[in-house]
C-alpha cells in the first residue's frame, strides 16, 4: 500500500512490477518521450510522467519508497539527485538504488575515470555508493550485490566474454558478436540472478532509510 516513485523508469515494465507487488500508487518518471508514451499505453495502472531527474516533480516527504535502477551512472549531478531523493522520501521511507559495480563491470577503471560505456558518466564501487547515499542524508545504508546465476555464468564461460560486455561491443561495433546473443538476452529472467554480498557482484544494490 505504498506510494512508490521509480526515477528513470524506461519502458515502464519495472514500474508495473512494483504496482503488481502491492504499491497503492506508482509514479514512473522518465525523460525520453517515446518511452513515456510506450509506458502510458502499455501499463495504464502506472502513472507515467515525463520528467527531468535533475529536478524531481514530487512534493517533499510524500514518497514511501523511491526506486532508481541502473540510472545513477547516467546522471551528471548525482549528489544533487540524491539530495533531491532525500527531500521527497518521507521519514522512515526507503531509497533503493542499483548501479554497475565498477571493479567488476569495468575492470581496471579507476575512480573518477571516464567509463568505456559512452552512456555512463561515472561508475561506482560499493564504498562510493554507500558514502554518497549517507552524505545525501540517508541512514542504515546497506549495499548488496547482484550476481549472475549459473545459466548466465555458463554462457559467459562458453563464449569467453561477459554478457554485458558482449552487448556493449555489439552496440558500439567494437568486437565480434557471439552467435545467439540477442536470443539469449531475450531469454534472461529474474531467476537468472542472485542477490548476495557486493564483493564480486556485477551490480550494486543499495537500500537506505530516510531518518
Amino acid at each position: 500500500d505504498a506510494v512508490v516513485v521509480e526515477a528513470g523508469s524506461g519502458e515502464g515494465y519495472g514500474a508495473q512490477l512494483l504496482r503488481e507487488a502491492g504499491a497503492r500508487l506508482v509514479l514512473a518518471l522518465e525523460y525520453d518521450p517515446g518511452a513515456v508514451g510506450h509506458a502510458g499505453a502499455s501499463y495504464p495502472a502506472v502513472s507515467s510522467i515525463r520528467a527531468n531527474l535533475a529536478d524531481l516533480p514530487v512534493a517533499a516527504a510524500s514518497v514511501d519508497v523511491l526506486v532508481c535502477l541502473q540510472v545513477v551512472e547516467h546522471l551528471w549531478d548525482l549528489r544533487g539527485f540524491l539530495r533531491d531523493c532525500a527531500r521527497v522520501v518521507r521519514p522512515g521511507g526507503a531509497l533503493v538504488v542499483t548501479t554497475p559495480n565498477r571493479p567488476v563491470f569495468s575492470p581496471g577503471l579507476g575512480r573518477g575515470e571516464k567509463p568505456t560505456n559512452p552512456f555512463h558518466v561515472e561508475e561506482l564501487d560499493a564504498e562510493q555508493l554507500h558514502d554518497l547515499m549517507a552524505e545525501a542524508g540517508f541512514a542504515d545504508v546497506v549495499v548488496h550485490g547482484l550476481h549472475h546465476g549459473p545459466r548466465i555464468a555458463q554462457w559467459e564461460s562458453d563464449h569467453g566474454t561477459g554478457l554485458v560486455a558482449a552487448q556493449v561491443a555489439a552496440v558500439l561495433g567494437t568486437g565480434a558478436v557471439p552467435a545467439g546473443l540477442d536470443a539469449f538476452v531475450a531469454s534472461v529472467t529474474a531467476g537468472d540472478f542472485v542477490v548476495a554480498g557486493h564483493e564480486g557482484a556485477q551490480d550494486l544494490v543499495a537500500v537506505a532509510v530516510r531518518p
Side-chain angles (χ1 to χ4, degrees):
D1 195 36
V3 173
V4 179
V5 169
E6 184 178 9
S9 52
E11 297 178 26
Y13 62 86
Q16 175 64 21
L17 288 171
L18 290 165
R19 184 72 171 84
E20 292 171 2
R24 173 163 50 92
L25 170 69
V26 177
L27 179 63
L29 305 180
E30 171 59 43
Y31 189 71
D32 181 79
V36 174
H38 169 82
S42 302
Y43 309 111
V46 171
S47 299
S48 297
I49 306 294
R50 185 168 189 240
N52 190 331
L53 299 189
D55 185 15
L56 295 175
V58 181
S62 64
V63 176
D64 296 307
V65 181
L66 195 149
V67 178
C68 188
L69 309 179
Q70 307 302 103
V71 171
V72 297
E73 64 273 13
H74 300 278
L75 302 180
W76 291 104
D77 182 11
L78 177 52
R79 284 178 170 81
F81 169 73
L82 292 174
R83 287 194 299 269
D84 210 12
C85 291
R87 176 184 65 82
V88 305
V89 173
R90 66 167 178 79
L95 172 66
V96 180
V97 174
T98 73
T99 190
N101 182 20
R102 188 196 71 251
V104 173
F105 189 84
S106 299
L109 184 72
R111 287 185 175 182
E113 293 183 354
K114 176 62 181 170
T116 302
N117 188 322
F119 303 107
H120 290 181
V121 175
E122 184 177 3
E123 295 170 5
L124 307 172
D125 57 47
E127 183 180 26
Q128 286 176 291
L129 182 59
H130 175 283
D131 291 351
L132 284 168
M133 292 172 71
E135 177 186 301
F138 288 91
D140 301 324
V141 183
V142 179
V143 182
H144 307 282
L146 189 72
H147 299 257
H148 288 171
R151 201 169 73 93
I152 296 177
Q154 185 62 56
W155 186 95
E156 293 177 326
S157 177
D158 291 344
H159 292 84
T161 184
L163 183 58
V164 174
Q167 293 176 78
V168 171
V171 170
L172 299 180
T174 56
V177 179
L181 174 63
D182 288 348
F184 183 79
V185 170
S187 75
V188 170
T189 71
D192 288 310
F193 300 90
V194 177
V195 176
H198 61 73
E199 290 293 335
Q202 185 75 26
D203 295 308
L204 303 173
V205 183
V207 182
V209 176
R210 181 71 171 94

